[in-house]
Amino acid sequence: MSRDKTNQKSIRSMIQENKSSRSQSAVMEKVVPKIFLICAIISIFTTIGIVFTLLTETFTFFNRISIVEFFTNTRWFPFTSDENADFGIIALIMGTLTVTAIAMVVAIPIGLAAAIYLSEYASAKTRKIIKPILEVLAGIPTIVYGFFALTFVTPLLDKIIPGGISIFNALSPGIVVGIMIIPMIASLSEDAMNAVPNSMREGALALGATRFEVAMKVVLPAALSGVIASFVLGISRAIGETMIVTIAGGSRPTADINVTESIQTMTAYIVQVSQGDTGYGTTIYYSIYAVGMTLFVFTLIMNLLAQFISRKFREEY
Amino acid sequence: MPLINKESVKKRMGTRLAANGFAKFLFILATCFSLLVLGVLIYRILSEGLPYLSLDFITNFASRMPERAGIWAALLGTIWVMAVTAPVSFILGVGTAIYLEEYAKKNAFTKFVQINISNLAGVPSIVFGLLGLTIFVRLLGLGSSVLAGGLTMSLLILPVIVVASQEAIRTVPREIREASFGMGATKWQTIRRIVFPAALPGILTGTILALSRAVGETAPLLVLGALAYVAFVPENIFSQFTVLPIQLYNWTSRPQEDFHMLAASGIIILLIILLIMNSIAVLIRNKFHKRF
Amino acid sequence: MDITINKQIVPKNEKEQDFTPVFKINNLNLWYGQDHALKDIKFDIPEKQVTAIIGPSGCGKSTFIKTLNRMVEMVPIVRMSGEIVYRDKNIFNAKYGVEELRTQVGMVFQKPNPFPKSIYENVAYGPRIHGIKNKKVLDEVVEKSLRGAAIWDEVKDRLNENAYGLSGGQQQRLCIARCLAIEPDVILMDEPTSALDPISTLKVEELVQELKKDYSIVIVTHNMQQAARISDRTAFFLNGEVVEYTDTSTLFSNPSDKRTEDYITGRFG
Ligand SMILES: Nc1ncnc2c1ncn2[C@@H]1O[C@H](COP(=O)(O)OP(=O)(O)OP(=O)(O)O)[C@@H](O)[C@H]1O
Ligand SMILES: [Mg+2]
């Protein structure tokens, strides 16, 4: 007992003694948050860096090529001699939009159908099997999808389509980009539908509605903004997708779209220039920033739109 | 006369049930489409890629002769880039998450940081390539080096790690923080000794998944000027490099069938790496699932 | 309405006070935003005794006990006025750090809240954060604290196992051990047995009796029998005010306020 007493004194006093070292820890308390703040600020600097880089280099580009020509010319032929070069981004935008449109035609119905199946029909067990598979699909690198588009989908389409299809075309990468986006639309839409309270479903089911009617007339309308937001995010992903379209889409920018023929997207153009031996400071070098800027603005608008739509959605419940 | 004609309800019921059945069939079909694609994709890659797969394929350098070509330089390049990306993105990501969750006041600045991060997550990866090209390669004069590539990749996956870490930190119950403060612990002590260790499994899972995304990324490094044909292994972070996906792109974009088969072999390796990373992430997630 | 009338009355226990106080609370007021949660609290808490705080739900018991170690300040909208003097120092004094206060004034929470660490690490946590690194000292502290919390025999063979594997009652005693490890002067307990089964409750109650030899204890409880069984003095809170504060036997056998009587006889609300 007496040993206990002395020991008890000692712990309390030991803690008291250590108080002197607390000034150190007081310094830590002040410094540490600042370090973390710097980490957080780096993410802002990243955005500033992106905007600043794109803006300054694009500005240089517009000193050489008029901004009016850039947005109105429908021809994009940068690699000819300087006087004959054409920098009309419409050709690249058309390529991007074509691929995006094809992708959405594939991804929206299939992704949405999968979402409805998962949220309204599938048992917990089925969901447990299918969701990881969708995750796997979402995790496959785009280079692999690009390979798949070029070496499987294109030859397949060539057989199916009467008259054949060129080796580089808009259709094949469009379809594959769509496949790539299915998991994203499926899982985001499913989240939105899962957020619909079960009481709403039960109410309709109790009145004798079939599952299909519940899905279409109750769940889908209630989850609509979340579902639409997932489409918009899908569009943004498709616009920014690079490797699939670079590998399977070809490098022939054109505004006259024929989906069985080669096209070029904004992203594919940037890769093409990076791969070539274009010197630093040439007009072509700066052109990738102008294209990148356009790409950035497109995707930013889509992302902000998606956020806006889904924020409205949250207010509903 | 009854208000509801039972006969017609019954009749309509038949068509309604048929519609329900048909719709369900379509939904299942759509879901199976994804599974089918996955199956075909894997089958194609295995059937094309397995013949070339050998130990030599892994340890050989790239070559103009398909039968002697390998992925050694690309594989090590990927490892080198990840060796830069992993610590940088982890520290920046977790630091940002801790700041936002533990220290930040609820003000306009914090909201701005948060919105900024979610928007960064939606920026196409190729734009990060342009950023890296301008800032790291040219402005800081790092050249098309492992360091420039690793830093660019860090910024690319930063938003993913921040969001995952924030979620992990948020799952740490208030009660155990209070217990720590109640013992006279300071804020930093509480974060370092209680919150961070408790959130670590979730943070690690998120980080590994983010890194696995970086391993498969091609576009930003292409824009940075990573080489497509490399017959040497990086010696330090200032060396030039290539990575696995770029090597695969290079092979895929050649017309000869043989190189396509090489690409398929390389894809098998790439997918195995991703599979391992994802398995580790899932393992961590399951092991520490629902502790609180 | 009689609340306002009673406010003027000087608690008549004032003169009976023949103890050394650890806490002297003076005109303590506390608001959550506009919500006036503690109103003009004024009483002293004795050293090495058990003080029970009773009162209906929402009357401010938890709020009050959390002001004693300033944990209440973790709620951002809190405003306070008045003073709490702990051993001759005003705890709201800017120079008096919260960390130092909380080292002296430990707390046991309503829900057992062990850290997701081993049993050993849970108990060693307090000494560690206060700079004690010596393994031998830590071993000693851990054993002594676990013994002090009457849980040593149950856990001595599994010190390195995760604390989440313990039963609720064991977890709560572990939390008490964790609190004892830094040898605080005062221990605050906010309904420490409300999440426990009767047997665990009994163990904790016995423990409280044991602990008051060395520690001053303030315990919030919903259970009036419990207050009657284990406490020396009892304060009855109602709507953020102290209606009556005196020694436990008096309060339960001969309450001076009608509302106290109503409450302890169960006629209340
Ligand atoms: N974090 C908070 N923010 C706002 N108001 C609060 C907060 N905590 C408590 N209050 C309010 O303060 C008053 C007192 O709450 P307190 O938790 O102290 O009551 P209590 O006596 O401990 O009740 P119980 O017996 O249910 O635990 C209540 O009216 C409650 O609504
Ligand atoms: Mg309470």
Side-chain angles (χ1 to χ4, degrees):
Chain A
M1 208 71 246
S2 66
R3 205 207 88 200
D4 241 34
K5 268 272 165 343
T6 53
N7 199 348
Q8 176 166 333
K9 278 253 160 52
S10 77
I11 279 292
R12 211 178 263 175
S13 55
M14 277 165 92
I15 289 175
Q16 285 299 314
E17 280 161 27
N18 283 331
K19 241 163 69 181
S20 52
S21 72
R22 270 200 219 137
S23 55
Q24 273 179 17
S25 100
V27 173
M28 286 293 279
E29 291 302 316
K30 286 230 162 60
V31 172
V32 164
K34 302 239 157 61
I35 295 173
F36 291 141
L37 175 63
I38 291 172
C39 292
I41 286 176
I42 285 179
S43 69
I44 293 178
F45 274 143
T46 307
T47 307
I48 294 174
I50 288 173
V51 174
F52 178 78
T53 315
L54 291 178
L55 272 181
T56 49
E57 308 289 50
T58 302
F59 191 73
T60 315
F61 176 76
F62 284 140
N63 275 339
R64 303 187 188 184
I65 305 295
S66 96
I67 187 164
V68 177
E69 189 203 327
F70 185 71
F71 283 114
T72 53
N73 191 344
T74 55
R75 288 156 46 83
W76 184 270
F77 288 119
F79 296 107
T80 45
S81 66
D82 262 5
E83 312 88 72
N84 297 330
D86 275 304
F87 288 96
I89 188 130
I90 287 179
L92 294 180
I93 291 179
M94 284 308 288
T96 294
L97 291 186
T98 307
V99 170
T100 305
I102 298 168
M104 295 330 282
V105 166
V106 172
I108 288 181
I110 297 180
L112 184 58
I116 294 176
Y117 176 69
L118 286 174
S119 103
E120 304 304 311
Y121 290 90
S123 65
K125 220 171 117 196
T126 326
R127 213 173 303 157
K128 237 180 154 176
I129 300 169
I130 293 178
K131 290 204 86 173
I133 294 176
L134 287 178
E135 267 175 48
V136 169
L137 266 178
I140 289 178
T142 55
I143 175 84
V144 179
Y145 279 116
F147 176 84
F148 184 66
L150 183 71
T151 66
F152 180 74
V153 178
T154 301
L156 187 69
L157 291 172
D158 194 38
K159 281 196 202 112
I160 294 171
I161 293 174
I165 190 167
S166 21
I167 174 122
F168 298 117
N169 58 75
L171 196 54
S172 166
I175 292 171
V176 175
V177 170
I179 290 171
M180 182 195 80
I181 290 171
I182 289 172
M184 179 177 160
I185 290 187
S187 83
L188 290 178
S189 296
E190 197 215 334
D191 288 348
M193 293 193 225
N194 274 339
V196 176
N198 248 334
S199 54
M200 287 176 71
R201 288 188 186 86
E202 280 154 12
L205 283 172
L207 291 174
T210 63
R211 286 224 161 255
F212 178 57
E213 286 158 351
V214 172
M216 287 304 167
K217 293 187 183 141
V218 179
V219 179
L220 204 53
L224 198 61
S225 27
V227 170
I228 290 177
S230 84
F231 297 166
V232 177
L233 282 178
I235 292 173
S236 169
R237 266 292 283 285
I239 291 175
E241 171 44 41
T242 308
M243 293 321 290
I244 302 174
V245 291
T246 304
I247 291 172
S251 48
R252 201 178 62 85
T254 173
D256 312 319
I257 296 301
N258 176 350
V259 295
T260 62
E261 293 292 327
S262 172
I263 46 112
Q264 187 167 45
T265 64
M266 293 189 270
T267 51
Y269 173 72
I270 297 174
V271 170
Q272 187 192 9
V273 172
S274 323
Q275 283 298 92
D277 41 16
T278 315
Y280 173 72
T282 60
T283 309
I284 291 178
Y285 173 82
Y286 288 116
S287 73
I288 61 175
Y289 290 93
V291 174
M293 184 81 205
T294 314
L295 179 68
F296 177 72
V297 170
F298 265 74
T299 53
L300 184 68
I301 290 173
M302 289 297 155
N303 292 338
L304 292 177
L305 187 64
Q307 279 168 31
F308 174 74
I309 294 170
S310 64
R311 203 169 308 136
K312 275 186 85 177
F313 157 76
R314 240 177 256 132
E315 285 161 12
E316 277 171 28
Y317 302 114
Chain B
M1 209 186 130
L3 275 173
I4 299 169
N5 184 337
K6 283 205 175 140
E7 270 307 301
S8 84
V9 169
K10 229 183 222 165
K11 236 190 245 160
R12 278 201 42 224
M13 195 61 160
T15 48
R16 281 171 57 208
L17 283 178
N20 183 43
F22 183 63
K24 184 176 178 185
F25 171 73
L26 282 184
F27 293 148
I28 293 180
L29 207 66
T31 312
C32 287
F33 176 77
S34 303
L35 313 190
L36 180 77
V37 170
L38 186 64
V40 171
L41 190 147
I42 288 174
Y43 170 76
R44 283 282 301 177
I45 284 162
L46 288 180
S47 66
E48 290 215 353
L50 280 179
Y52 265 108
L53 208 55
S54 66
L55 201 61
D56 281 348
F57 175 71
I58 293 173
T59 55
N60 279 1
F61 286 104
S63 164
R64 291 188 208 294
M65 280 165 286
E67 57 282 358
R68 291 209 351 229
I71 53 166
W72 189 238
L75 197 59
L76 284 171
T78 291
I79 293 172
W80 268 95
V81 172
M82 286 307 123
V84 174
T85 302
V88 173
S89 60
F90 183 82
I91 292 170
L92 288 183
V94 177
T96 306
I98 292 180
Y99 175 76
L100 288 174
E101 289 302 312
E102 301 288 334
Y103 287 106
K105 301 194 176 64
K106 276 202 162 54
N107 55 21
F109 174 74
T110 307
K111 206 169 164 199
F112 175 68
V113 174
Q114 196 73 65
I115 290 175
N116 175 54
I117 285 168
S118 61
N119 276 318
L120 268 184
V123 173
S125 62
I126 195 163
V127 173
F128 280 90
L130 290 173
L131 172 75
L133 175 66
T134 323
I135 304 288
F136 299 130
V137 177
R138 300 230 188 270
L139 202 66
L140 299 182
L142 299 177
S144 302
S145 62
V146 167
L147 184 58
L151 292 177
T152 306
M153 282 299 189
S154 305
L155 297 183
L156 175 67
I157 62 172
L158 187 60
V160 184
I161 297 185
V162 172
V163 171
S165 304
Q166 278 186 283
E167 273 167 20
I169 290 171
R170 254 179 253 145
T171 63
V172 178
R174 192 174 43 89
E175 286 81 7
I176 67 171
R177 287 166 211 258
E178 283 181 351
S180 174
F181 286 123
M183 310 213 49
T186 61
K187 186 149 195 173
W188 172 230
Q189 281 174 326
T190 304
I191 292 170
R192 188 164 70 94
R193 291 170 184 260
I194 303 297
V195 178
F196 178 71
L200 191 59
I203 292 175
L204 280 181
T205 304
T207 306
I208 295 171
L209 290 178
L211 284 175
S212 81
R213 183 181 155 203
V215 167
E217 271 292 349
T218 325
L221 296 181
L222 273 179
V223 175
L224 273 190
L227 302 173
Y229 180 86
V230 171
F232 56 83
V233 165
E235 279 167 7
N236 55 46
I237 53 171
F238 300 107
S239 303
Q240 290 202 296
F241 69 101
T242 190
V243 290
L244 208 42
I246 291 185
Q247 181 68 68
L248 302 180
Y249 167 61
N250 180 268
W251 282 332
T252 305
S253 51
R254 295 189 191 199
Q256 300 96 323
E257 186 69 18
D258 277 343
F259 281 109
H260 288 181
M261 296 177 81
L262 276 180
S265 309
I267 287 174
I268 294 176
I269 304 286
L270 178 63
L271 291 182
I272 288 174
I273 294 173
L274 297 184
L275 193 69
I276 292 172
M277 293 178 77
N278 281 271
S279 306
I280 294 173
V282 170
L283 226 65
I284 295 175
R285 183 161 63 190
N286 290 348
K287 179 138 192 273
F288 294 93
H289 188 55
K290 284 207 178 129
R291 279 178 317 153
F292 306 116
Chain C
M1 281 308 99
D2 47 358
I3 294 172
T4 35
I5 302 163
N6 266 286
K7 212 194 242 173
Q8 316 303 344
I9 299 173
V10 177
K12 66 177 191 190
N13 40 298
E14 197 102 300
K15 49 186 177 296
E16 322 167 351
Q17 226 168 257
D18 55 351
F19 52 73
T20 331
V22 273
F23 275 113
K24 289 190 216 150
I25 298 118
N26 252 324
N27 300 323
L28 176 69
N29 280 284
L30 185 144
W31 295 263
Y32 289 111
Q34 295 303 312
D35 190 2
H36 199 172
L38 294 179
K39 299 165 192 161
D40 283 326
I41 308 284
K42 179 173 171 29
F43 69 96
D44 295 353
I45 291 171
E47 185 181 38
K48 302 214 168 143
Q49 291 190 22
V50 177
T51 306
I53 313 280
I54 60 168
S57 187
C59 66
K61 304 183 296 294
S62 299
T63 304
F64 170 72
I65 201 172
K66 281 194 287 183
T67 54
L68 295 180
N69 65 348
R70 294 179 60 185
M71 286 292 280
V72 76
E73 287 168 28
M74 291 181 70
V75 180
I77 52 171
V78 157
R79 281 180 304 129
M80 285 183 280
S81 73
E83 66 170 11
I84 298 180
V85 176
Y86 165 69
R87 297 215 183 268
D88 305 327
K89 277 188 235 159
N90 185 353
I91 64 168
F92 297 127
N93 192 322
K95 267 191 245 150
Y96 198 44
V98 277
E99 285 85 16
E100 199 184 328
L101 173 69
R102 289 172 190 164
T103 312
Q104 318 266 3
V105 182
M107 185 158 200
V108 176
F109 297 79
Q110 179 169 357
K111 229 177 86 200
N113 56 355
F115 300 128
K117 295 173 182 281
S118 71
I119 294 169
Y120 182 96
E121 284 303 325
N122 260 280
V123 184
Y125 181 75
R128 275 194 209 281
I129 57 169
H130 291 108
I132 291 166
K133 299 193 183 84
N134 187 325
K135 176 90 174 95
K136 251 184 77 187
V137 177
L138 285 176
D139 285 350
E140 247 176 70
V141 174
V142 168
E143 176 171 348
K144 187 162 152 277
S145 310
L146 288 170
R147 279 188 194 283
I151 190 185
W152 172 252
D153 290 328
E154 290 154 73
V155 300
K156 64 171 182 253
D157 300 321
R158 47 197 284 209
L159 290 178
N160 291 317
E161 282 173 32
N162 196 297
Y164 282 33
L166 298 173
S167 75
Q170 288 173 326
Q171 287 188 7
Q172 192 62 306
R173 277 177 288 144
L174 176 66
C175 292
I176 295 174
R178 181 176 64 186
C179 182
L180 298 183
I182 50 172
E183 284 168 6
D185 180 24
V186 184
I187 300 177
L188 310 174
M189 298 180 164
D190 191 354
E191 300 186 41
T193 61
S194 68
L196 306 185
D197 62 282
I199 294 175
S200 305
T201 300
L202 197 67
K203 283 193 178 154
V204 172
E205 285 184 10
E206 283 169 1
L207 184 56
V208 169
Q209 291 297 299
E210 195 60 35
L211 290 174
K212 76 172 190 187
K213 290 195 196 113
D214 297 314
Y215 303 93
S216 318
I217 295 172
V218 185
I219 183 167
V220 170
T221 176
H222 255 134
N223 180 333
M224 277 173 285
Q225 283 78 30
Q226 184 173 66
R229 274 197 300 271
I230 64 175
S231 71
D232 302 297
R233 298 181 69 80
T234 300
F236 172 54
F237 274 56
L238 187 61
N239 292 331
E241 288 179 81
V242 184
V243 172
E244 190 160 352
Y245 173 60
T246 180
D247 53 280
T248 303
S249 52
T250 318
L251 188 127
F252 281 101
S253 60
N254 187 16
S256 57
D257 194 293
K258 177 79 169 53
R259 291 166 297 170
T260 317
E261 193 182 338
D262 285 352
Y263 184 68
I264 60 177
T265 52
R267 251 178 289 158
F268 198 82

